[in-house]
Amino acid sequence: MSGQRGRKAAFVAVIGLSLVALAIAGRPHGAGQPLDPGGAGPMGAKALVLLLREVGGNVTVSAGEPGSSTTTVVLLQDTLDRGRADALDRWVRSGGTLVVADPSSSLAGGEIDPASSANLAGLDSDVTLRPGCGLAALAGADTVKVSAMAAFFKVPTDEPGLGACYVAGDGGAYMLARPQGRGTVVALAGAGPFTNHDLGKADNAVLAVNLLVPAPGTQVEVLSDLAPDAAAAPRAHTSVWQALARRWQLALLQLIAVFLAVCMWRARRLGRPVIEHQPVEIPGSELVVAVGDLYQVGQRRQQAAANLVADTRRVLADRLGLPADTAPRVLAQVASSRTGIDTDRVMTAVVPPVPATDSDLLALAQTGAVVHQEIARAR
């Protein structure tokens, strides 16, 4: 009982220290803020940056103005001041492509449709939308998944060159594409499809690649004021230990220390040996007598006879060198030929009649004993 209590105490101690270590570790490092291009949390956009680089895009993250070689700019969240917004507008008009996923941005140029947004707000799950337009950039992006809380743009009817895509049932559009000078502005009514959580749903990843990296080598710039230095360039190769945050490293070291302490505690007992009570040994003869008494009380003569016969057959087959499943008559004939015992007497020991009384059972036991002795002498 003391050993069981000790094991339970050790288990509880390990669990408790593990919880303490996890509490000390705190929030996972690198989760970042929502729409952070370097954030690895569900609402971050690190997966988007890695995906674009994987398909051949030259992706940079900065908080400044687009470079002269940049062909596509992504604005997930508009935190630009007036000067940077005007500079970005001039860059688009000079021939660039801007993908803005903030419907409240002045650069989006769209008006939110309250009716479409209100109709979807009561849904419990995400909404699947189809393009519903002929833009070549959407080839392959047959469906996108957006949150039921997403906003939708009103679709102007008097704007030439406007492309309204992923239109809801009541007419609101999730994406508007319009020419802006020599460039193009693609406005999305939310950055949900580009987040780590939703990028892998439906064709959201296809939509991101088609819009942002239409061809390998495309210069893509993600404008963000959130941790620009951390996401600006690919990280160098690091080991698993180096990839862990400092808090997680300390937590893992604590768990290892606890494990080693428990192993040392359970592996060696200090002090004098503990005297343990040994199990009670029952002599074989007493066990045989006890089983025989139970057979006698229950009048189980047939079962007792079956045990005696099985033992006689096993001994005969073993000593005569015959298979264990040899037929009883063959056993009797071979035993008779080698020992001179009458065949019928051997048959009485290996195929006896059903004992009707205790005397019959005793006679069967005596016959088996005689056959055993004769076989032993013959060898």
Side-chain angles (χ1 to χ4, degrees), residues 17 26 36 54 67 83 96 100 125 143 149 153 184 195 210 279 281 291 324 341 359:
L17 290 175
D36 180 0
E54 184 69 22
V100 54
S125 58
T143 58
M149 301 301 293
F153 293 117
T184 304
T195 61
N210 287 356
E281 295 184 0
V291 173
I341 305 175
S359 298

Side-chain angles (χ1 to χ4, degrees), residues 171-317:
Y174 191 74
M175 187 179 81
L176 296 178
R178 57 165 53 87
Q180 192 88 345
R182 290 185 296 162
T184 304
V185 174
V186 179
L188 296 176
F194 294 162
T195 61
N196 297 335
H197 183 268
D198 290 340
L199 184 63
K201 294 181 179 179
D203 294 326
N204 292 356
V206 179
L207 173 66
V209 172
N210 287 356
L211 288 179
L212 306 179
V213 187
T218 301
Q219 298 288 334
V220 182
E221 188 166 346
V222 181
L223 294 185
S224 174
D225 292 334
L226 302 174
D229 295 335
R235 295 183 179 180
H237 176 72
T238 58
S239 64
V240 175
W241 179 258
Q242 293 172 336
L244 291 175
R246 179 62 177 171
R247 291 181 176 180
W248 283 106
Q249 291 177 348
L250 294 176
L252 185 58
L253 290 176
Q254 290 179 20
L255 291 177
I256 294 175
V258 171
F259 175 75
L260 293 177
V262 172
C263 289
M264 294 177 62
W265 173 39
R266 299 301 301 172
R268 183 180 181 88
R269 292 182 179 180
L270 303 179
R272 299 178 61 185
V274 178
I275 299 177
E276 298 181 352
H277 296 289
Q278 299 298 320
V280 178
E281 295 184 0
I282 301 177
S285 59
E286 292 187 11
L287 182 61
V288 172
V289 171
V291 173
D293 290 341
L294 290 176
Y295 280 161
Q296 186 176 18
V297 171
Q299 298 296 313
R300 305 295 292 273
R301 298 188 189 90
Q302 186 173 356
Q303 186 173 357
N307 292 339
L308 292 173
V309 170
D311 182 66
T312 301
R313 291 179 181 176
R314 178 184 58 79
V315 172
L316 286 178

